[in-house]
Amino acid sequence: MPELPDLEYILPRLREPLVGKQLEKIEIFEPVVYRNLTGLQDWNPELVTSVFRRGPFLVLELEQTHLVIHPMLAGRFAFNGKKKAATAIRFAFSDFYLDFIDDKKMGKVYRARKEQLDQIPGYKKQGVDLLSKEFTEEYFRKQAAKYRKQARVFLMDQSILSAIGNAYADEILFEAMIHPKTRMNQLTEEQILGLYRAIGIVLRESIRTIEEQKPELDQKYREHVKVRNRKDQPCPRCGSRIRRANVLGYDSFFCPTCQPDGGRGFVDWSSLEKRDGGS
Ligand SMILES: [Zn+2]
């Protein structure tokens, strides 16, 4: 999915061309991607008044309604592109258009009135924004203290920490040198602080790198990742071979040397998964 650094890159690139422009119409090519909560059947041209991000949602605020885009796994954007098989929705302005493209058709575009935003699944429940002042060490410690599941599951819990997905969860654990299966209640005070700091370091460095690389809007830039999808490649810190493990149904990549299991026996992955399942 586009994760927080990807969304931070996309956001100003939507905001700049869209704000102050009139959205003339929307064309829906994939009805499964569109949810209209307003009851309004027709589209009346509306001015885009602002574009903002709430966790993984990108929101176009219009004069009367909001368009809330949840890109999920594969949603992406392109200006004035040729219509592709995966083009789900086209936002047409007077002299250009923006396409929302979704190869997996798992993303959603909601049309909602302001008072209906809380009806959008996951919108209200978002955890703290990791780039905001509210993401304090105190908040992090408090949330970590009540959590029993694995560190990787914690990082991806959108109701606590907003907009970290598979890629950056792996990168953050690598930075913090924590094994992805370590349970939150097994972390030392020092490790919890390290994990908190790693979130800031990885996200900010990634945002900077993506900004420098300037990928096309519909390309997800991931060249800079150190462990994600790098199975059997050498760890950039110690040279050990990166491994892949399954953590509650998700592939996780880590360095077995930098991120030791602390002698808890996370060695036999297959038997561990059975024992560990669903917890
Ligand atoms: Zn290593």
Side-chain angles (χ1 to χ4, degrees):
M1 73 177 206
E3 301 185 30
L4 196 143
D6 310 308
L7 295 165
E8 280 296 296
Y9 179 73
I10 295 169
L11 185 63
R13 284 160 181 82
L14 296 186
R15 182 183 285 145
E16 189 144 313
L18 299 189
V19 171
K21 298 286 166 54
Q22 184 150 291
L23 181 47
E24 303 289 349
K25 62 172 181 175
I26 55 174
E27 286 179 78
I28 298 153
F29 303 118
E30 288 294 347
V32 68
V33 171
Y34 185 65
R35 291 274 186 282
N36 182 358
L37 307 179
T38 63
L40 301 168
Q41 291 312 311
D42 299 328
W43 183 268
N44 291 315
E46 284 192 63
L47 215 60
V48 179
T49 55
S50 74
V51 177
F52 62 90
R53 180 177 67 78
R54 176 172 168 81
F57 298 94
L58 293 167
V59 185
L60 312 189
E61 184 177 8
L62 311 175
E63 289 166 294
Q64 308 295 326
T65 58
H66 287 62
L67 289 167
V68 179
I69 305 164
H70 193 191
M72 292 291 287
L73 278 177
R76 56 203 166 92
F77 298 90
F79 280 101
N80 301 326
K82 249 175 100 178
K83 186 182 170 300
K84 300 178 173 65
T87 302
I89 293 185
R90 174 163 290 176
F91 306 97
F93 294 80
S94 63
D95 52 353
F96 67 94
Y97 54 84
L98 171 70
D99 284 343
F100 177 68
I101 304 160
D102 189 346
D103 296 273
K104 296 208 189 292
K105 299 185 182 69
M106 286 173 72
K108 285 278 179 289
V109 175
Y110 299 92
R111 185 182 182 200
R113 298 175 198 275
K114 191 171 187 180
E115 63 273 17
Q116 294 175 316
L117 291 175
D118 289 350
Q119 295 172 25
I120 295 169
Y123 190 87
K124 191 181 183 181
K125 238 178 55 189
Q126 282 303 309
V128 68
D129 195 283
L130 302 174
L131 300 176
S132 71
K133 282 202 273 302
E134 286 72 47
F135 180 53
T136 60
E137 195 187 317
E138 193 195 346
Y139 171 86
F140 189 77
R141 281 191 189 283
K142 218 182 255 174
Q143 299 299 324
K146 347 186 235 212
Y147 219 79
R148 299 267 170 271
K149 292 182 193 170
Q150 289 96 332
R152 193 172 190 281
V153 178
F154 175 74
L155 290 176
M156 287 178 62
D157 188 330
Q158 301 294 308
S159 68
I160 300 173
L161 309 171
S162 196
I164 296 178
N166 281 299
Y168 287 103
D170 283 352
E171 295 301 301
I172 289 163
L173 290 167
F174 177 73
E175 174 68 28
M177 300 174 88
I178 291 170
H179 191 286
K181 292 201 183 196
T182 316
R183 288 178 186 276
M184 288 303 289
N185 56 345
Q186 291 168 335
L187 294 178
T188 63
E189 287 286 301
E190 197 184 344
Q191 282 179 310
I192 287 174
L193 180 61
L195 191 57
Y196 170 74
R197 289 187 177 150
I199 290 173
I201 291 169
V202 168
L203 294 180
R204 279 171 218 285
E205 277 181 4
S206 299
I207 289 168
R208 196 174 331 127
T209 304
I210 297 170
E211 278 293 344
E212 281 165 11
Q213 296 297 325
K214 300 212 182 319
E216 291 295 321
L217 205 56
D218 63 345
Q219 301 298 316
K220 197 156 57 181
Y221 184 83
R222 289 285 157 81
E223 295 298 311
H224 62 299
V225 298
K226 294 175 178 157
V227 289
R228 183 69 194 167
N229 288 329
R230 297 211 185 276
K231 183 173 181 283
D232 292 334
Q233 293 180 29
C235 165
R237 202 187 272 131
C238 75
S240 300
R241 275 183 7 182
I242 303 292
R243 291 185 61 168
R244 184 176 63 199
N246 185 296
V247 184
L248 293 189
Y250 293 96
D251 273 341
S252 172
F253 296 81
F254 68 102
C255 170
T257 307
C258 294
Q259 296 163 265
D261 64 15
R264 289 185 200 94
F266 302 141
V267 179
D268 182 353
W269 304 114
S270 55
S271 69
L272 185 77
E273 278 321 302
K274 278 180 214 121
R275 216 169 60 218
D276 224 16
S279 59

Short mmCIF file of all heavy atoms in Angstrom, two decimals, residues 70-124:
data_model
loop_
_atom_site.label_atom_id
_atom_site.label_comp_id
_atom_site.label_asym_id
_atom_site.label_seq_id
_atom_site.Cartn_x
_atom_site.Cartn_y
_atom_site.Cartn_z
N HIS A 70 -9.02 6.16 -0.25
CA HIS A 70 -8.23 5.20 0.53
C HIS A 70 -7.52 4.29 -0.47
O HIS A 70 -8.14 3.35 -1.00
CB HIS A 70 -9.15 4.39 1.45
CG HIS A 70 -8.40 3.62 2.48
ND1 HIS A 70 -8.99 2.65 3.27
CD2 HIS A 70 -7.11 3.67 2.88
CE1 HIS A 70 -8.09 2.14 4.09
NE2 HIS A 70 -6.94 2.74 3.87
N PRO A 71 -6.26 4.54 -0.76
CA PRO A 71 -5.61 3.77 -1.84
C PRO A 71 -5.41 2.28 -1.53
O PRO A 71 -5.20 1.50 -2.44
CB PRO A 71 -4.26 4.47 -2.01
CG PRO A 71 -4.42 5.82 -1.37
CD PRO A 71 -5.39 5.61 -0.25
N MET A 72 -5.47 1.88 -0.27
CA MET A 72 -5.27 0.48 0.12
C MET A 72 -3.98 -0.09 -0.46
O MET A 72 -2.95 0.52 -0.36
CB MET A 72 -6.47 -0.38 -0.28
CG MET A 72 -7.74 -0.08 0.49
SD MET A 72 -7.65 -0.57 2.22
CE MET A 72 -7.75 -2.35 2.07
N LEU A 73 -4.05 -1.28 -1.09
CA LEU A 73 -2.82 -1.97 -1.50
C LEU A 73 -2.18 -1.38 -2.75
O LEU A 73 -0.97 -1.28 -2.84
CB LEU A 73 -3.11 -3.45 -1.77
CG LEU A 73 -3.16 -4.34 -0.54
CD1 LEU A 73 -3.54 -5.75 -0.95
CD2 LEU A 73 -1.82 -4.33 0.18
N ALA A 74 -3.00 -1.02 -3.70
CA ALA A 74 -2.43 -0.74 -5.02
C ALA A 74 -2.90 0.56 -5.65
O ALA A 74 -2.59 0.83 -6.80
CB ALA A 74 -2.74 -1.91 -5.96
N GLY A 75 -3.65 1.37 -4.92
CA GLY A 75 -4.17 2.60 -5.51
C GLY A 75 -3.06 3.58 -5.85
O GLY A 75 -2.09 3.70 -5.11
N ARG A 76 -3.18 4.23 -6.98
CA ARG A 76 -2.18 5.24 -7.38
C ARG A 76 -2.85 6.28 -8.25
O ARG A 76 -4.02 6.13 -8.65
CB ARG A 76 -1.00 4.57 -8.10
CG ARG A 76 -1.38 3.74 -9.29
CD ARG A 76 -0.30 2.67 -9.60
NE ARG A 76 -0.80 1.68 -10.52
CZ ARG A 76 -0.68 1.73 -11.84
NH1 ARG A 76 -0.04 2.72 -12.41
NH2 ARG A 76 -1.19 0.79 -12.62
N PHE A 77 -2.11 7.33 -8.55
CA PHE A 77 -2.68 8.48 -9.25
C PHE A 77 -1.88 8.80 -10.50
O PHE A 77 -0.67 8.55 -10.56
CB PHE A 77 -2.67 9.71 -8.34
CG PHE A 77 -3.48 9.55 -7.09
CD1 PHE A 77 -2.91 9.05 -5.93
CD2 PHE A 77 -4.83 9.87 -7.09
CE1 PHE A 77 -3.67 8.88 -4.78
CE2 PHE A 77 -5.60 9.72 -5.94
CZ PHE A 77 -5.01 9.21 -4.78
N ALA A 78 -2.56 9.38 -11.47
CA ALA A 78 -1.85 9.88 -12.65
C ALA A 78 -2.65 11.04 -13.24
O ALA A 78 -3.88 11.00 -13.27
CB ALA A 78 -1.69 8.77 -13.69
N PHE A 79 -1.94 12.05 -13.67
CA PHE A 79 -2.58 13.18 -14.34
C PHE A 79 -2.57 12.96 -15.85
O PHE A 79 -1.52 12.61 -16.43
CB PHE A 79 -1.81 14.48 -14.04
CG PHE A 79 -2.14 15.05 -12.68
CD1 PHE A 79 -1.28 14.87 -11.61
CD2 PHE A 79 -3.33 15.75 -12.47
CE1 PHE A 79 -1.58 15.40 -10.36
CE2 PHE A 79 -3.64 16.27 -11.22
CZ PHE A 79 -2.76 16.10 -10.17
N ASN A 80 -3.72 13.18 -16.46
CA ASN A 80 -3.84 13.21 -17.92
C ASN A 80 -3.26 11.98 -18.61
O ASN A 80 -2.72 12.06 -19.71
CB ASN A 80 -3.15 14.46 -18.50
CG ASN A 80 -3.75 15.73 -17.94
OD1 ASN A 80 -4.95 15.78 -17.68
ND2 ASN A 80 -2.92 16.73 -17.74
N GLY A 81 -3.35 10.83 -17.94
CA GLY A 81 -2.83 9.62 -18.56
C GLY A 81 -3.85 8.97 -19.47
O GLY A 81 -5.03 9.33 -19.45
N LYS A 82 -3.38 8.02 -20.27
CA LYS A 82 -4.31 7.26 -21.10
C LYS A 82 -5.13 6.36 -20.19
O LYS A 82 -4.60 5.84 -19.20
CB LYS A 82 -3.52 6.39 -22.08
CG LYS A 82 -3.66 6.84 -23.53
CD LYS A 82 -2.79 6.03 -24.43
CE LYS A 82 -3.60 4.95 -25.14
NZ LYS A 82 -2.75 4.18 -26.07
N LYS A 83 -6.38 6.18 -20.50
CA LYS A 83 -7.19 5.30 -19.66
C LYS A 83 -6.65 3.88 -19.75
O LYS A 83 -6.44 3.34 -20.81
CB LYS A 83 -8.65 5.34 -20.10
CG LYS A 83 -9.54 4.55 -19.16
CD LYS A 83 -10.98 4.53 -19.62
CE LYS A 83 -11.79 3.54 -18.80
NZ LYS A 83 -11.30 2.15 -18.88
N LYS A 84 -6.40 3.31 -18.56
CA LYS A 84 -5.88 1.95 -18.51
C LYS A 84 -6.99 1.01 -18.04
O LYS A 84 -8.02 1.47 -17.55
CB LYS A 84 -4.74 1.87 -17.46
CG LYS A 84 -3.55 2.78 -17.73
CD LYS A 84 -2.55 2.61 -16.58
CE LYS A 84 -1.25 3.33 -16.84
NZ LYS A 84 -1.38 4.80 -16.91
N ALA A 85 -6.71 -0.29 -18.15
CA ALA A 85 -7.69 -1.26 -17.66
C ALA A 85 -7.96 -1.04 -16.18
O ALA A 85 -9.07 -1.27 -15.70
CB ALA A 85 -7.18 -2.67 -17.91
N ALA A 86 -6.93 -0.60 -15.45
CA ALA A 86 -7.07 -0.46 -13.99
C ALA A 86 -7.53 0.94 -13.56
O ALA A 86 -7.66 1.21 -12.38
CB ALA A 86 -5.75 -0.79 -13.32
N THR A 87 -7.79 1.82 -14.54
CA THR A 87 -8.28 3.15 -14.17
C THR A 87 -9.67 3.01 -13.56
O THR A 87 -10.59 2.51 -14.20
CB THR A 87 -8.34 4.08 -15.41
OG1 THR A 87 -7.03 4.16 -15.97
CG2 THR A 87 -8.80 5.49 -15.01
N ALA A 88 -9.80 3.41 -12.31
CA ALA A 88 -11.06 3.17 -11.59
C ALA A 88 -11.96 4.40 -11.63
O ALA A 88 -13.16 4.29 -11.85
CB ALA A 88 -10.76 2.78 -10.15
N ILE A 89 -11.36 5.56 -11.40
CA ILE A 89 -12.14 6.79 -11.33
C ILE A 89 -11.35 7.92 -11.95
O ILE A 89 -10.13 8.02 -11.76
CB ILE A 89 -12.51 7.11 -9.86
CG1 ILE A 89 -13.48 6.03 -9.35
CG2 ILE A 89 -13.10 8.52 -9.72
CD1 ILE A 89 -14.02 6.23 -7.99
N ARG A 90 -12.06 8.75 -12.70
CA ARG A 90 -11.41 9.92 -13.30
C ARG A 90 -12.06 11.18 -12.74
O ARG A 90 -13.29 11.32 -12.77
CB ARG A 90 -11.55 9.87 -14.82
CG ARG A 90 -11.02 11.12 -15.51
CD ARG A 90 -10.80 10.86 -16.99
NE ARG A 90 -9.67 9.95 -17.21
CZ ARG A 90 -9.29 9.49 -18.41
NH1 ARG A 90 -9.96 9.84 -19.49
NH2 ARG A 90 -8.25 8.69 -18.51
N PHE A 91 -11.22 12.05 -12.19
CA PHE A 91 -11.69 13.34 -11.69
C PHE A 91 -11.39 14.36 -12.79
O PHE A 91 -10.22 14.66 -13.07
CB PHE A 91 -10.94 13.73 -10.41
CG PHE A 91 -11.00 12.68 -9.33
CD1 PHE A 91 -9.97 11.76 -9.16
CD2 PHE A 91 -12.10 12.59 -8.50
CE1 PHE A 91 -10.02 10.79 -8.17
CE2 PHE A 91 -12.17 11.62 -7.50
CZ PHE A 91 -11.13 10.72 -7.34
N ALA A 92 -12.45 14.89 -13.38
CA ALA A 92 -12.25 15.76 -14.54
C ALA A 92 -12.40 17.23 -14.17
O ALA A 92 -13.44 17.66 -13.66
CB ALA A 92 -13.26 15.39 -15.62
N PHE A 93 -11.34 17.97 -14.40
CA PHE A 93 -11.34 19.42 -14.21
C PHE A 93 -11.45 20.05 -15.59
O PHE A 93 -11.45 19.33 -16.61
CB PHE A 93 -10.06 19.84 -13.49
CG PHE A 93 -10.00 19.29 -12.07
CD1 PHE A 93 -9.61 17.97 -11.83
CD2 PHE A 93 -10.36 20.08 -10.98
CE1 PHE A 93 -9.58 17.45 -10.54
CE2 PHE A 93 -10.33 19.56 -9.69
CZ PHE A 93 -9.93 18.24 -9.47
N SER A 94 -11.53 21.38 -15.66
CA SER A 94 -11.82 21.96 -16.97
C SER A 94 -10.71 21.71 -17.99
O SER A 94 -10.98 21.44 -19.15
CB SER A 94 -12.11 23.46 -16.84
OG SER A 94 -10.96 24.10 -16.35
N ASP A 95 -9.44 21.76 -17.55
CA ASP A 95 -8.38 21.59 -18.56
C ASP A 95 -7.40 20.45 -18.25
O ASP A 95 -6.33 20.37 -18.83
CB ASP A 95 -7.63 22.92 -18.75
CG ASP A 95 -7.15 23.49 -17.42
OD1 ASP A 95 -7.52 22.93 -16.37
OD2 ASP A 95 -6.41 24.49 -17.44
N PHE A 96 -7.73 19.61 -17.29
CA PHE A 96 -6.90 18.43 -17.02
C PHE A 96 -7.75 17.41 -16.25
O PHE A 96 -8.86 17.73 -15.83
CB PHE A 96 -5.65 18.79 -16.21
CG PHE A 96 -5.93 19.24 -14.80
CD1 PHE A 96 -5.91 18.34 -13.74
CD2 PHE A 96 -6.23 20.58 -14.52
CE1 PHE A 96 -6.19 18.76 -12.45
CE2 PHE A 96 -6.50 21.00 -13.22
CZ PHE A 96 -6.47 20.08 -12.19
N TYR A 97 -7.22 16.21 -16.11
CA TYR A 97 -7.92 15.26 -15.26
C TYR A 97 -6.93 14.44 -14.45
O TYR A 97 -5.74 14.35 -14.77
CB TYR A 97 -8.85 14.34 -16.08
CG TYR A 97 -8.19 13.61 -17.21
CD1 TYR A 97 -7.52 12.40 -16.99
CD2 TYR A 97 -8.25 14.12 -18.51
CE1 TYR A 97 -6.92 11.73 -18.04
CE2 TYR A 97 -7.63 13.44 -19.56
CZ TYR A 97 -6.97 12.25 -19.31
OH TYR A 97 -6.36 11.59 -20.33
N LEU A 98 -7.45 13.92 -13.37
CA LEU A 98 -6.66 13.09 -12.46
C LEU A 98 -7.32 11.72 -12.40
O LEU A 98 -8.52 11.62 -12.15
CB LEU A 98 -6.65 13.72 -11.06
CG LEU A 98 -6.05 12.87 -9.93
CD1 LEU A 98 -4.53 12.74 -10.10
CD2 LEU A 98 -6.36 13.49 -8.57
N ASP A 99 -6.52 10.68 -12.64
CA ASP A 99 -7.07 9.32 -12.57
C ASP A 99 -6.66 8.66 -11.27
O ASP A 99 -5.51 8.80 -10.82
CB ASP A 99 -6.53 8.47 -13.73
CG ASP A 99 -7.22 8.81 -15.05
OD1 ASP A 99 -8.29 9.44 -15.01
OD2 ASP A 99 -6.66 8.44 -16.10
N PHE A 100 -7.59 7.93 -10.70
CA PHE A 100 -7.26 7.02 -9.60
C PHE A 100 -7.25 5.62 -10.21
O PHE A 100 -8.24 5.16 -10.77
CB PHE A 100 -8.29 7.11 -8.47
CG PHE A 100 -8.03 6.14 -7.36
CD1 PHE A 100 -6.92 6.28 -6.54
CD2 PHE A 100 -8.89 5.07 -7.13
CE1 PHE A 100 -6.66 5.37 -5.52
CE2 PHE A 100 -8.64 4.16 -6.11
CZ PHE A 100 -7.53 4.32 -5.30
N ILE A 101 -6.08 5.00 -10.14
CA ILE A 101 -5.87 3.71 -10.80
C ILE A 101 -5.68 2.66 -9.71
O ILE A 101 -4.98 2.91 -8.72
CB ILE A 101 -4.59 3.78 -11.67
CG1 ILE A 101 -4.70 4.95 -12.67
CG2 ILE A 101 -4.32 2.47 -12.40
CD1 ILE A 101 -3.36 5.40 -13.21
N ASP A 102 -6.31 1.53 -9.87
CA ASP A 102 -6.21 0.52 -8.81
C ASP A 102 -6.22 -0.88 -9.44
O ASP A 102 -7.28 -1.41 -9.76
CB ASP A 102 -7.37 0.69 -7.84
CG ASP A 102 -7.20 -0.17 -6.59
OD1 ASP A 102 -6.34 -1.08 -6.61
OD2 ASP A 102 -7.94 0.04 -5.63
N ASP A 103 -5.04 -1.47 -9.56
CA ASP A 103 -4.94 -2.79 -10.19
C ASP A 103 -5.66 -3.87 -9.39
O ASP A 103 -6.09 -4.86 -9.94
CB ASP A 103 -3.46 -3.17 -10.36
CG ASP A 103 -2.75 -2.22 -11.30
OD1 ASP A 103 -2.80 -2.46 -12.52
OD2 ASP A 103 -2.19 -1.21 -10.82
N LYS A 104 -5.73 -3.69 -8.08
CA LYS A 104 -6.37 -4.72 -7.26
C LYS A 104 -7.83 -4.43 -6.93
O LYS A 104 -8.51 -5.25 -6.33
CB LYS A 104 -5.58 -4.90 -5.96
CG LYS A 104 -4.16 -5.40 -6.17
CD LYS A 104 -3.68 -6.18 -4.95
CE LYS A 104 -2.22 -6.53 -5.00
NZ LYS A 104 -1.86 -7.51 -6.04
N LYS A 105 -8.28 -3.24 -7.29
CA LYS A 105 -9.67 -2.83 -7.00
C LYS A 105 -10.02 -2.98 -5.51
O LYS A 105 -11.13 -3.29 -5.14
CB LYS A 105 -10.67 -3.61 -7.84
CG LYS A 105 -10.49 -3.42 -9.33
CD LYS A 105 -11.62 -4.14 -10.08
CE LYS A 105 -11.46 -4.02 -11.57
NZ LYS A 105 -10.32 -4.77 -12.10
N MET A 106 -9.03 -2.78 -4.67
CA MET A 106 -9.28 -2.86 -3.22
C MET A 106 -9.40 -1.48 -2.59
O MET A 106 -9.85 -1.35 -1.46
CB MET A 106 -8.16 -3.62 -2.53
CG MET A 106 -8.20 -5.11 -2.79
SD MET A 106 -6.74 -5.92 -2.14
CE MET A 106 -7.09 -5.82 -0.38
N GLY A 107 -8.94 -0.47 -3.31
CA GLY A 107 -9.03 0.89 -2.80
C GLY A 107 -10.47 1.38 -2.84
O GLY A 107 -11.36 0.70 -3.38
N LYS A 108 -10.70 2.53 -2.23
CA LYS A 108 -12.05 3.09 -2.22
C LYS A 108 -11.97 4.60 -2.39
O LYS A 108 -11.06 5.25 -1.87
CB LYS A 108 -12.75 2.80 -0.89
CG LYS A 108 -13.23 1.38 -0.71
CD LYS A 108 -14.56 1.13 -1.39
CE LYS A 108 -15.01 -0.31 -1.22
NZ LYS A 108 -14.20 -1.26 -2.03
N VAL A 109 -12.97 5.12 -3.10
CA VAL A 109 -13.18 6.57 -3.13
C VAL A 109 -14.57 6.81 -2.57
O VAL A 109 -15.56 6.29 -3.10
CB VAL A 109 -13.05 7.13 -4.56
CG1 VAL A 109 -13.40 8.61 -4.59
CG2 VAL A 109 -11.64 6.90 -5.10
N TYR A 110 -14.65 7.52 -1.47
CA TYR A 110 -15.93 7.81 -0.83
C TYR A 110 -16.34 9.24 -1.16
O TYR A 110 -15.50 10.16 -1.10
CB TYR A 110 -15.82 7.69 0.69
CG TYR A 110 -15.43 6.32 1.17
CD1 TYR A 110 -14.09 6.00 1.38
CD2 TYR A 110 -16.40 5.35 1.44
CE1 TYR A 110 -13.72 4.74 1.83
CE2 TYR A 110 -16.03 4.09 1.90
CZ TYR A 110 -14.70 3.79 2.08
OH TYR A 110 -14.33 2.54 2.54
N ARG A 111 -17.61 9.41 -1.46
CA ARG A 111 -18.16 10.76 -1.53
C ARG A 111 -19.03 10.93 -0.29
O ARG A 111 -19.94 10.14 -0.05
CB ARG A 111 -19.00 10.93 -2.80
CG ARG A 111 -19.49 12.36 -3.00
CD ARG A 111 -20.35 12.46 -4.25
NE ARG A 111 -20.78 13.84 -4.45
CZ ARG A 111 -21.81 14.19 -5.18
NH1 ARG A 111 -22.52 13.26 -5.81
NH2 ARG A 111 -22.14 15.45 -5.31
N ALA A 112 -18.70 11.93 0.50
CA ALA A 112 -19.40 12.07 1.79
C ALA A 112 -19.54 13.54 2.14
O ALA A 112 -18.71 14.37 1.76
CB ALA A 112 -18.63 11.34 2.89
N ARG A 113 -20.58 13.83 2.90
CA ARG A 113 -20.67 15.17 3.49
C ARG A 113 -19.78 15.19 4.72
O ARG A 113 -19.47 14.15 5.29
CB ARG A 113 -22.12 15.47 3.90
CG ARG A 113 -23.10 15.47 2.74
CD ARG A 113 -24.52 15.67 3.32
NE ARG A 113 -25.53 15.26 2.36
CZ ARG A 113 -26.02 16.05 1.40
NH1 ARG A 113 -25.55 17.27 1.26
NH2 ARG A 113 -26.95 15.61 0.58
N LYS A 114 -19.47 16.40 5.14
CA LYS A 114 -18.55 16.52 6.27
C LYS A 114 -19.00 15.70 7.48
O LYS A 114 -18.21 15.00 8.11
CB LYS A 114 -18.42 18.00 6.65
CG LYS A 114 -17.29 18.23 7.61
CD LYS A 114 -17.03 19.70 7.82
CE LYS A 114 -15.76 19.84 8.66
NZ LYS A 114 -15.41 21.21 8.92
N GLU A 115 -20.29 15.77 7.77
CA GLU A 115 -20.80 15.08 8.97
C GLU A 115 -20.86 13.56 8.78
O GLU A 115 -21.15 12.83 9.71
CB GLU A 115 -22.16 15.65 9.40
CG GLU A 115 -23.29 15.48 8.39
CD GLU A 115 -23.35 16.62 7.34
OE1 GLU A 115 -22.35 17.35 7.19
OE2 GLU A 115 -24.39 16.73 6.66
N GLN A 116 -20.59 13.11 7.55
CA GLN A 116 -20.62 11.66 7.30
C GLN A 116 -19.22 11.03 7.30
O GLN A 116 -19.10 9.83 7.14
CB GLN A 116 -21.26 11.40 5.92
CG GLN A 116 -22.72 11.77 5.85
CD GLN A 116 -23.25 11.59 4.44
OE1 GLN A 116 -22.59 11.98 3.47
NE2 GLN A 116 -24.44 11.02 4.31
N LEU A 117 -18.20 11.86 7.49
CA LEU A 117 -16.84 11.33 7.36
C LEU A 117 -16.59 10.17 8.33
O LEU A 117 -15.89 9.21 8.01
CB LEU A 117 -15.81 12.44 7.60
CG LEU A 117 -15.75 13.53 6.51
CD1 LEU A 117 -14.79 14.63 6.91
CD2 LEU A 117 -15.31 12.92 5.18
N ASP A 118 -17.19 10.25 9.51
CA ASP A 118 -16.97 9.20 10.50
C ASP A 118 -17.59 7.86 10.11
O ASP A 118 -17.30 6.83 10.72
CB ASP A 118 -17.54 9.63 11.86
CG ASP A 118 -16.69 10.73 12.48
OD1 ASP A 118 -15.60 11.01 11.94
OD2 ASP A 118 -17.12 11.31 13.49
N GLN A 119 -18.47 7.89 9.10
CA GLN A 119 -19.06 6.63 8.63
C GLN A 119 -18.11 5.85 7.73
O GLN A 119 -18.36 4.69 7.42
CB GLN A 119 -20.34 6.90 7.84
CG GLN A 119 -21.45 7.52 8.65
CD GLN A 119 -22.62 7.95 7.75
OE1 GLN A 119 -22.81 7.42 6.65
NE2 GLN A 119 -23.40 8.91 8.20
N ILE A 120 -17.05 6.50 7.30
CA ILE A 120 -16.11 5.82 6.41
C ILE A 120 -15.27 4.84 7.23
O ILE A 120 -14.68 5.24 8.23
CB ILE A 120 -15.21 6.87 5.71
CG1 ILE A 120 -16.08 7.73 4.79
CG2 ILE A 120 -14.08 6.19 4.95
CD1 ILE A 120 -15.36 8.95 4.24
N PRO A 121 -15.25 3.56 6.82
CA PRO A 121 -14.55 2.57 7.64
C PRO A 121 -13.09 2.96 7.90
O PRO A 121 -12.35 3.23 6.97
CB PRO A 121 -14.63 1.29 6.79
CG PRO A 121 -15.82 1.49 5.92
CD PRO A 121 -15.90 2.98 5.65
N GLY A 122 -12.73 3.00 9.17
CA GLY A 122 -11.35 3.28 9.56
C GLY A 122 -11.01 4.75 9.65
O GLY A 122 -9.94 5.11 10.14
N TYR A 123 -11.90 5.62 9.20
CA TYR A 123 -11.55 7.05 9.13
C TYR A 123 -11.42 7.66 10.53
O TYR A 123 -10.45 8.34 10.85
CB TYR A 123 -12.59 7.81 8.31
CG TYR A 123 -12.18 9.24 8.00
CD1 TYR A 123 -11.42 9.52 6.88
CD2 TYR A 123 -12.55 10.30 8.83
CE1 TYR A 123 -11.03 10.83 6.58
CE2 TYR A 123 -12.18 11.60 8.55
CZ TYR A 123 -11.41 11.86 7.42
OH TYR A 123 -11.03 13.15 7.15
N LYS A 124 -12.41 7.39 11.34
CA LYS A 124 -12.43 7.99 12.68
C LYS A 124 -11.39 7.33 13.58
O LYS A 124 -10.75 7.97 14.41
CB LYS A 124 -13.83 7.81 13.28
CG LYS A 124 -14.04 8.62 14.55
CD LYS A 124 -15.43 8.39 15.12
CE LYS A 124 -15.63 9.27 16.34
NZ LYS A 124 -16.97 9.05 16.92
#
